[in-house]
Amino acid sequence: MPNSEPNPIPNSDRLEQLKQFDESKTGVKGLVDKGLTTIPTFFIHQSEPDPKPKTRPGYKHSIPVVDFSAPRSKIVEQVHNASTTLGFFQIINHSVHVQAINKVVNSIKAFNEQEDEVKMKYYSRDMSRGVAYSTNFDLYNSKAASWRDTLQLKLAPTPPEWEHVPEVCREAAAEWDKEAVKIGEELMGLLCEGLGVKEDRLKELSCLDARVMAAHYYPYCPQPELTKGLTPHTDPGVLTVLVQNEMTGLQVKFEEDWVDLEPIPGAIVINIGDILQIISNDEYKSVEHRVLANRFQEPRVSVAIFFNPGQRENLYGPLPELISDEKPAVYREFMFNDYMGRFFSKELDGKTLTNYYRISN
């Protein structure tokens, strides 16, 4: 999330190091392939108090697991409970075939493990074609870089120029978008039901209509204690639908503890975004999460699709149906364009977007 503090301007040596790394177009994976045993200094994060992850009592897999084969009333209850507390849950026995999940995850792994000469032609920070492959979108703004490479696609409302999407994952990405939309629509209906508003209320607000995919590749890190795979942040949008391989590393903050999300084969990870916290007038929680730098030889791979409102010029805020004298609006309204401008102008850090739009008591 954006930081309200101004970002320090990198000194000339640091900026030169960043440019040299970025212009190599080989990413973090390229550093690993060179056999590096120490990470570059611009990847080193300041040390901070870091309590060991704790598992919440009563949750077999740390994060709530919702069985979509249960009766609808039970699913609504479980989704609502998870969304009002931890903001994260995994769904199992859903409608998506595990082969579709494996296909998209494996295709992203295959792309990142191609020869540098193949990947370099895709390395860019320019999203004008709806696709970009790089290390950290906030590389030049953040206080320290994170140990991952990312392929990012704008899927909707305007699809990417598919011929510029790496061929090895082109078909899988397009197919996964269709599956994610089905799951996203089903979840938004369940979330609306949990709020006591009509089932298609979020769909009416165009919350299915704008989608971005971020496919992260976290290679082995020789000094994982000095850096992060992904710094603590909340997701700015409405809802995030994520699939991953079976490598650990994703952690969710609950009170003062970091809770491990244990991967379940075939499960889909769901988390509430900042906009849905605002729309729900604070009933649903968008919580901080992070990914640890990968200490294993096997890479961690995840594919997230972020659902955002498609009507960017409209005003968004708490649903009128959820506002009363007893529970007044907690947030002021905003235009989505302005909101996302704030997000991308700063480094990925913390939970300042919801705080920025919160109405002071």
Side-chain angles (χ1 to χ4, degrees), residues 120-323:
M120 284 170 71
K121 64 184 180 182
Y122 296 106
Y123 194 97
S124 173
R125 298 186 178 278
D126 178 8
M127 283 291 287
S128 61
R129 290 172 169 166
V131 56
Y133 161 62
S134 66
T135 300
N136 300 191
F137 82 82
D138 60 349
L139 181 68
Y140 292 98
N141 289 335
S142 61
K143 297 180 182 70
S146 296
W147 200 258
R148 74 180 185 282
D149 296 324
T150 302
L151 178 68
Q152 189 171 343
L153 305 180
K154 287 183 180 177
L155 296 168
T158 305
E161 295 178 18
W162 285 105
E163 66 272 21
H164 294 287
V165 176
E167 187 176 0
V168 70
C169 51
R170 192 179 300 161
E171 180 184 314
E175 290 175 359
W176 179 244
D177 180 42
K178 292 175 184 174
E179 296 288 356
V181 169
K182 292 176 193 172
I183 287 291
E185 184 166 4
E186 186 175 3
L187 281 159
M188 288 188 197
L190 293 164
L191 288 159
C192 285
E193 206 168 317
L195 289 173
V197 301
K198 62 181 184 176
E199 190 180 329
D200 61 352
R201 191 68 172 92
L202 290 171
K203 187 176 181 180
E204 282 180 353
L205 291 172
S206 76
C207 292
L208 284 162
D209 296 351
R211 298 182 304 283
V212 174
M213 175 188 290
H216 298 307
Y217 182 90
Y218 303 89
Y220 165 74
C221 180
Q223 295 177 297
E225 71 283 357
L226 297 182
T227 188
K228 294 283 191 291
L230 192 57
T231 52
H233 67 286
T234 57
D235 292 345
V238 178
L239 195 70
T240 303
V241 173
L242 179 140
V243 291
Q244 59 186 343
N245 64 358
E246 293 176 32
M247 299 302 293
T248 58
L250 176 58
Q251 296 183 329
V252 179
K253 196 168 191 183
F254 181 73
E255 295 175 349
E256 296 306 312
D257 297 324
W258 286 103
V259 179
D260 280 315
L261 189 146
E262 297 293 339
I264 301 172
I268 300 175
V269 180
I270 308 297
N271 67 280
I272 304 299
D274 289 344
I275 286 183
L276 187 49
Q277 178 171 323
I278 291 169
I279 286 174
S280 73
N281 204 30
D282 253 3
E283 187 159 343
Y284 291 150
K285 306 302 181 191
S286 171
V287 301
E288 282 191 81
H289 49 287
R290 68 181 184 182
V291 177
L292 301 179
N294 183 14
R295 59 191 174 91
F296 302 102
Q297 292 296 328
E298 181 67 19
R300 171 179 162 77
V301 181
S302 67
V303 182
I305 291 187
F306 305 101
F307 287 85
N308 297 304
Q311 297 167 2
R312 301 179 71 91
E313 301 298 330
N314 285 11
L315 286 173
Y316 293 90
L319 291 174
E321 304 96 302
L322 302 178
I323 298 171

Side-chain angles (χ1 to χ4, degrees), residues 109-122:
K109 183 175 186 286
F111 166 68
N112 281 276
E113 293 176 359
Q114 288 182 311
E115 295 295 325
D116 285 345
E117 292 72 23
V118 177
K119 292 187 295 181
M120 284 170 71
K121 64 184 180 182
Y122 296 106

